[in-house]
Amino acid sequence: MKIIRDTQRNCARMAAEEYRKLLNENPHCVLGLATGSTPEMLYEELVALCKAGKLSFKDVTTYNLDEYVGLDGSHPQSYRYFMDSHLFNLVDIDKTRTHVPCGVGVTDEMAAHYDDEIKQAGGVDLQLLGIGHDGHIGFNEPCDHFPVRTHEVALTESTRRANARFFAGEDEVPAAAYTMGVGTVMAARRVLMIVTGADKADILHRAFCGPVTPWVPASILQFHPDVTLICDEAAWSGMKA
Ligand code: F6R
């Protein structure tokens, strides 16, 4: 595992540099993307690099990790809306190559088809991840097994509480989401995880220094052959404990 530590802004810059290199080496690459607060600065940096002509998304294909059940892309809290407003509408990407799991009218079979689409596209070259306070990746919440494929999941109280900041209140946070499975994430050729903030210090330590267990879904990354962890000093403080 490659580990990079710095300030939050520099973490975003260094992550953006990984993308600059990848997109220049492989303009047709497949990116697995994430939402939430963590990647916001990275997306700002990527937009700036694209505007400066240092990278292009023209031939890139993207697959996002997850989407709330019941929200369509026009809902301001949907992850499709997030991706459009933070990245896709601001860079030279072909929107028809951007994929976010559909939040409405989806059956289990249709959700699992997302994995087939990813495979047909050649598989994910670089999967971006944040981490939830309970160790979730995508919306794979702690449970007694590692879910393999894209599926519907009930969100835990901890996740709904954490995400209430984006909604009018906790009750407004959808109770369920569609998420890539842990197997989908592990199939990516490379994983880039960004973790910032003192509130993530404990879970970062449990994920990378504790036992590999589905009760801390991110701990499975200990078995991934190519993980880059980019974190700020505040998040890293738990690793020293
Ligand atoms: C988002 C996602 C989640 C977030 C996690 C951390 O697409 O899959 O796993 O990465 O909930 O969220 P933030 O960055 O808001 O702390």
Side-chain angles (χ1 to χ4, degrees):
M1 184 167 70
K2 184 172 156 199
I3 301 172
I4 299 174
R5 289 153 41 203
D6 210 313
T7 62
Q8 199 182 347
R9 176 56 69 182
N10 282 342
C11 285
R13 289 198 179 119
M14 282 186 276
E17 178 55 16
E18 301 285 330
Y19 283 86
R20 194 195 59 73
K21 281 189 263 171
L22 174 65
L23 269 59
N24 282 297
E25 274 161 24
N26 180 7
H28 290 86
C29 65
V30 177
L31 301 179
L33 295 176
T35 58
S37 304
T38 307
E40 281 183 19
M41 270 190 205
L42 164 64
Y43 293 152
E44 280 171 26
E45 296 293 331
L46 291 178
V47 169
L49 286 176
C50 188
K51 289 203 156 74
K54 300 208 167 126
L55 61 76
S56 170
F57 287 89
K58 202 165 55 69
D59 297 315
V60 165
T61 301
T62 69
Y63 288 90
N64 262 78
L65 281 167
D66 40 21
E67 180 59 282
Y68 289 115
V69 171
L71 303 194
D72 74 21
S74 64
H75 191 290
Q77 302 312 333
S78 73
Y79 286 167
R80 161 54 74 179
Y81 192 96
F82 175 102
M83 289 309 302
D84 284 349
S85 51
H86 286 84
L87 188 68
F88 299 152
N89 289 346
L90 310 175
V91 295
D92 59 348
I93 203 161
D94 172 356
K95 289 266 283 278
T96 63
R97 290 177 190 266
T98 67
H99 307 85
V100 180
C102 182
V104 284
V106 175
T107 60
D108 285 353
E109 209 180 313
M110 283 155 78
H113 182 64
Y114 199 61
D115 298 68
D116 300 332
E117 280 182 47
I118 295 173
K119 260 194 211 140
Q120 277 157 21
V124 169
D125 291 297
L126 180 61
Q127 177 63 56
L128 177 64
L129 294 177
I131 187 171
H133 293 108
D134 58 5
H136 69 235
I137 47 173
F139 271 134
N140 292 284
E141 300 282 24
C143 68
D144 60 7
H145 66 290
F146 289 111
V148 177
R149 287 168 71 87
T150 299
H151 62 290
E152 181 176 340
V153 65
L155 300 182
T156 60
E157 218 183 295
S158 140
T159 298
R160 294 184 74 214
R161 205 177 314 119
N163 289 5
R165 68 192 192 281
F166 299 114
F167 291 81
E170 198 175 321
D171 289 349
E172 302 286 311
V173 183
Y178 294 110
T179 180
M180 279 186 194
V182 173
T184 325
V185 170
M186 288 295 282
R189 284 182 268 283
R190 217 183 131 197
V191 170
L192 188 140
M193 175 177 259
I194 305 179
V195 187
T196 58
D199 57 317
K200 298 278 176 76
D202 176 55
I203 194 60
L204 182 62
H205 182 260
R206 285 169 56 211
F208 288 99
C209 302
V212 174
T213 162
W215 295 104
V216 181
S219 64
I220 192 86
L221 295 173
Q222 294 181 38
F223 290 152
H224 194 285
D226 195 349
V227 177
T228 300
L229 172 65
I230 299 190
C231 58
D232 66 0
E233 291 295 340
W236 183 258
S237 61
M239 301 293 254
K240 294 176 204 151

